[in-house]
Amino acid sequence: MKKGDLVKLDLPGNTAGGPAGVGVSWSSAYRRGEEGASTRFPEGTVALFLGEGRWPQGSKTYFTNVIIEGRVGWTHLDCLEPL
């Protein structure tokens, strides 16, 4: 995927028994569990890919920045599928 690509939200296969939908965080507050800091979207929801990084810096946990419903948020790289 490259910046500007359309993607759809997709749950990885190892999420059985977890909450429904793909979590998108609106800030780093998501990591602290603050209310309103994230939203769950149904699988198949379309977003615009903005780029990827690692959190925390240097770890093996990848995240991606996306625009979804007019807001910039982030989710895990393995929760996106190119269109």
Side-chain angles (χ1 to χ4, degrees), residues 5-32:
D5 283 352
L6 287 177
V7 294
K8 69 177 181 176
L9 300 181
D10 186 41
L11 286 172
N14 63 352
T15 58
V22 178
V24 175
S25 175
W26 307 117
S27 72
S28 60
Y30 174 72
R31 299 186 65 77
R32 295 190 298 272

Side-chain angles (χ1 to χ4, degrees), residues 48-65:
L48 184 69
F49 180 78
L50 295 178
E52 65 181 75
R54 295 184 198 192
W55 183 264
Q57 209 62 17
S59 78
K60 293 182 181 180
T61 303
Y62 287 90
F63 68 90
T64 57
N65 288 312

